[in-house]
Amino acid sequence: MDDTLTHVSAGRKLKDLTAKVLVGAAFGLAVIPLVSVLWMVVKNGLARFDLDFFTHSMRNIGPFDAHGGAYHAILGTLQQVALAALISIPIALLTAIYLVEYGEGGRLARSISFFVDVMTGIPSIVAGLFILAFWVLGLGMSFSGFAGALALSILMMPVVVRSAEEMLRLVPNELREASLALGVPKWRTIVKIVLPTAFTGIVTGVMLAVARVAGETAPLMLTVFFTDSINNSAFSGAQMGLPLFVFDQAGKPNPTAIDRAWTGALTLILIVMLLNLGARLIAWWRRPATSR
Amino acid sequence: MTTSQTETLDHGPAGGDLPEGKDASRTGRIGDRVFRLASSGSGVLLLAIMAAIAVFLVIQALPALRANTAPFLTEKIWNPNAVPPRFGIAALAFGTVVSSLIALVIATPVAVAVALFISHYAPRRLAATLGYVVDLLAAVPSVVYGLWGAVFLVPLIMDPASWLNRNLAFLPIFNGQPVSSGKSIFTASVVLAIMILPIIAAISREVFLQVPKANEEAALALGATRWEMVRMAVLPFGRPGVISASMLGLGRALGETIAVALIVSASFEIDWNVMMPGGNSIAANIANTFQEAGATGRGALIASGLVLFVITLVVNMAARAVIARRKEYARAGA
């Protein structure tokens, strides 16, 4: 009796084992490129990971010269990403608040929600083309770091809306009701009760969004243009960005440029991964006690 | 509904004869109105941006399209800076769609297996960490994938490519002269597959984790092995989720720019042999030719971007529609 209940035929056992091995192998297969990319970037990036790289621009560096650095590109990226965050976070946060606190599944809320999803799928190059068509060609503004920030903020907004919305929905309704029952106006309830409760979750989402746009190359290419010189102002004239620097150097045939590209890639990955890890750490550190 | 409740609540303290109470309620109401206006305004702004994207791309593309002397949809040559300008989307659209579809074919089975591994095979305590490792794949910037693909993968892929070429030559896509360089659509597809794998895996994982425990336990109680349980309970439940996940991945692959631009050796032909050097995509072409583009050239690139926008929009909306149907079904079942 025991035997008939627990007996599994050899063929079924074999299938089960095969599935197990294949599924495990697939995971291994997926990790190979990650390890390979990180290994190549670290190995090749360390060659030029020196003080020169972080303190100099590419100005007056001939096509076959060895020196030069990415100071202008790093500076540009920091300014562009900060500006993009400044533009997109308030809009995205308010939209998320509308969806959760005011929308109530109405027609406007549903269409906003739908188009936020659609906006998440916009290719980054199309965001760049839009700013090119609207800001540069339409309004006659010049290529600038700010134009790049506008393009990045289009990519950032839907991501922040989605994550903030999710976090706001996690805030228990009892908190809102208790506050409203005490006669507190709705907007003060949102500002003083709902937002602080969801704060760490929102910060995590924002950091992940920043990490995503910091690595974007395509929209920058069409909006900030290329330059080899330092431009301290994001509001006038061409400015470089770090991803653009990597793309620019990688397209040049001489090995010194390829070295610079790898070091740029290493710097970029360090920035993006630190943002990512930081976001996860905050999420993990402040996770609710009831999490699975 | 909630608003009206709030208003009645606001009137509460105002009913008393305390002047402070009256003031507080009035600022509360003004504050509420301002806050509501600001938040709904932001939402409307997002809708306006979406509309503006379509409108401005059309406006800026029209002059170039009018100047074009070739049929835009069927012409393969991209020569918008010539006099008279001749350009068309055919070869670019072909490269975009083919490279993305090959990437999808490579990535989907692996991603589904990875999702299964994390949701149903890996030890519970490791699952979250392993999921994070796969998510890290998505955190690597595309320009880094492009650099890695151009320097590392292009030489590496020449050998397997010539193997496919020798042994599967009866298939038109693998038929052709032995490849002399890996700068082909196929190499771009492999990199695209790596880039979309984490998206497909993450969404599939979420769906697999939502499979009702009762279904799984019922299968196991009937004596199913783990694989039989997965096949009978998990996969059927997760199928719509996997379909929409791979469509979202497809949308991402279609729009990927820099990685493709760094790998393909830009050509403007429709060549079914994806192993041959060459290949191009709409997005990669924008990246490669933007700097030399004149006024008509920019307009032409914007027109090609408009086509890309429409393609990805359709793919994404279809994916969302599948997810939405799934949600209703899940609610009805629950």
Side-chain angles (χ1 to χ4, degrees):
Chain A
M1 160 138 180
D2 207 18
D3 206 40
T4 48
L5 273 181
T6 55
H7 179 74
V8 175
S9 73
R12 291 173 60 203
K13 258 187 199 155
L14 190 68
K15 259 190 198 160
D16 189 44
L17 191 69
T18 317
K20 197 185 241 176
V21 170
L22 280 181
V23 163
F27 183 79
L29 190 66
V31 174
I32 291 174
L34 180 66
V35 173
S36 168
V37 166
L38 293 181
W39 166 247
M40 291 281 289
V41 168
V42 170
K43 191 184 78 172
N44 295 318
L46 283 179
R48 278 300 319 278
F49 204 75
D50 49 30
L51 202 62
D52 226 25
F53 187 82
F54 292 101
T55 53
H56 288 74
S57 71
M58 288 298 295
R59 196 184 174 93
N60 296 331
I61 303 288
F64 290 96
D65 292 349
H67 298 283
Y71 174 76
H72 60 313
I74 298 171
L75 183 78
T77 283
L78 292 180
Q79 290 187 2
Q80 289 147 19
V81 171
L83 278 173
L86 274 181
I87 298 167
S88 56
I89 291 173
I91 298 176
L93 206 52
L94 281 169
T95 306
I97 288 173
Y98 177 77
L99 289 177
V100 177
E101 307 288 338
Y102 291 104
E104 303 276 318
R107 207 149 152 214
L108 180 63
R110 263 183 295 143
S111 56
I112 291 173
S113 189
F114 178 76
F115 277 104
V116 165
D117 275 342
V118 172
M119 215 171 162
T120 322
I122 291 182
S124 57
I125 189 111
V126 172
L129 278 176
F130 165 59
I131 296 301
L132 174 76
F134 166 68
W135 186 255
V136 180
L137 300 179
L139 298 182
M141 301 292 183
S142 70
F143 292 105
S144 66
F146 183 67
L150 286 177
L152 292 183
S153 64
I154 287 181
L155 298 170
M156 211 174 147
M157 273 187 260
V159 183
V160 178
V161 172
R162 268 286 157 269
S163 63
E165 188 193 345
E166 221 163 273
M167 290 305 140
L168 291 178
R169 286 200 196 282
L170 286 181
V171 175
N173 243 341
E174 287 80 1
L175 290 183
R176 293 188 183 92
E177 283 159 7
S179 168
L180 291 174
L182 289 172
V184 181
K186 182 156 182 158
W187 72 278
R188 282 185 70 88
T189 306
I190 294 171
V191 173
K192 295 277 178 183
I193 308 288
V194 179
L195 286 182
T197 312
F199 185 70
T200 39
I202 293 173
V203 169
T204 307
V206 166
M207 283 174 80
L208 287 177
V210 167
R212 182 191 156 191
V213 299
E216 284 292 352
T217 318
L220 294 185
M221 174 180 293
L222 306 177
T223 49
V224 307
F225 226 65
F226 288 84
T227 174
D228 283 339
S229 316
I230 298 168
N231 179 0
N232 280 318
S233 165
F235 293 95
S236 65
Q239 199 183 33
M240 202 58 167
L242 191 53
L244 207 51
F245 173 85
V246 177
F247 176 71
D248 187 35
Q249 298 294 325
K252 292 181 175 158
N254 52 319
T256 51
I258 302 287
D259 279 350
R260 281 192 290 265
W262 281 115
T263 309
L266 178 60
T267 315
L268 191 59
I269 281 206
L270 280 177
I271 295 174
V272 171
M273 293 281 174
L274 281 180
L275 277 167
N276 245 292
L277 276 176
R280 309 269 171 177
L281 277 180
I282 291 177
W284 172 81
W285 175 51
R286 296 293 299 268
R287 72 193 185 285
T290 50
S291 78
R292 281 180 288 164
Chain B
M1 199 183 95
T2 323
T3 352
S4 60
Q5 272 176 3
T6 320
E7 267 162 21
T8 47
L9 282 174
D10 279 353
H11 286 301
D17 43 16
L18 289 168
E20 302 96 45
K22 217 171 203 170
D23 273 347
S25 96
R26 190 167 300 149
T27 54
R29 234 179 301 150
I30 291 171
D32 259 349
R33 217 172 293 150
V34 169
F35 206 74
R36 194 191 163 88
L37 208 68
S39 65
S40 57
S42 299
V44 172
L45 181 66
L46 277 185
L47 293 182
I49 290 175
M50 275 300 291
I53 291 177
V55 169
F56 275 92
L57 290 184
V58 171
I59 289 178
Q60 296 293 343
L62 276 180
L65 286 176
R66 278 209 203 93
N68 190 8
T69 53
F72 180 65
L73 290 178
T74 53
E75 175 63 48
K76 288 184 273 182
I77 302 296
W78 191 264
N79 221 343
N81 297 313
V83 185
R86 281 184 71 80
F87 58 91
I89 199 88
L92 298 174
F94 170 82
T96 307
V97 171
V98 168
S99 62
S100 304
L101 285 179
I102 296 176
L104 195 64
V105 169
I106 300 172
T108 306
V110 181
V112 170
V114 166
L116 274 181
F117 177 75
I118 293 169
S119 66
H120 284 84
Y121 280 87
R124 256 322 134 68
R125 280 167 52 208
L126 277 180
T129 318
L130 294 179
Y132 177 55
V133 168
V134 177
D135 287 346
L136 269 187
L137 267 176
V140 175
S142 59
V143 68
V144 177
Y145 276 122
L147 184 62
W148 175 78
V151 174
F152 176 73
L153 202 61
V154 164
L156 186 78
I157 217 148
M158 276 164 58
D159 290 330
S162 10
W163 182 88
L164 284 174
N165 189 37
R166 272 199 311 277
N167 294 290
L168 292 175
F170 55 88
L171 292 174
I173 60 167
F174 296 131
N175 181 15
Q177 298 302 308
V179 261
S180 56
S181 107
K183 285 177 163 296
S184 62
I185 287 190
F186 184 73
T187 313
S189 303
V190 171
V191 174
L192 287 177
I194 295 170
M195 297 177 72
I196 64 176
L197 188 138
I199 304 169
I200 304 178
I203 301 176
S204 305
R205 185 178 76 207
E206 290 295 310
V207 178
F208 291 157
L209 284 173
Q210 284 169 14
V211 176
K213 268 269 145 348
N215 293 15
E216 293 176 10
E217 281 163 5
L220 291 175
L222 287 172
T225 60
R226 185 183 293 232
W227 165 242
E228 285 162 349
M229 180 269 282
V230 165
R231 219 190 52 205
M232 292 186 299
V234 179
L235 290 182
F237 182 89
R239 190 176 297 128
V242 171
I243 291 173
S244 61
S246 42
M247 284 171 86
L248 290 179
L250 179 66
R252 172 96 197 269
L254 288 167
E256 179 46 47
T257 310
I258 296 301
V260 180
L262 280 170
I263 289 168
V264 295
S265 48
S267 74
F268 293 96
E269 276 156 45
I270 291 183
D271 189 350
W272 278 102
N273 178 15
V274 295
M275 298 291 179
M276 285 293 282
N280 214 333
S281 80
I282 295 176
N285 181 55
I286 296 173
N288 281 331
T289 61
F290 175 69
Q291 280 193 293
E292 293 96 54
T296 316
R298 283 178 183 171
L301 291 178
I302 289 174
S304 72
L306 188 62
V307 174
L308 179 66
F309 180 60
V310 171
I311 297 176
T312 51
L313 214 60
V314 169
V315 169
N316 278 307
M317 280 179 166
R320 298 292 170 192
V322 175
I323 291 185
R325 277 233 311 273
R326 179 84 197 74
K327 264 186 200 148
E328 275 161 29
Y329 169 69
R331 259 191 228 123

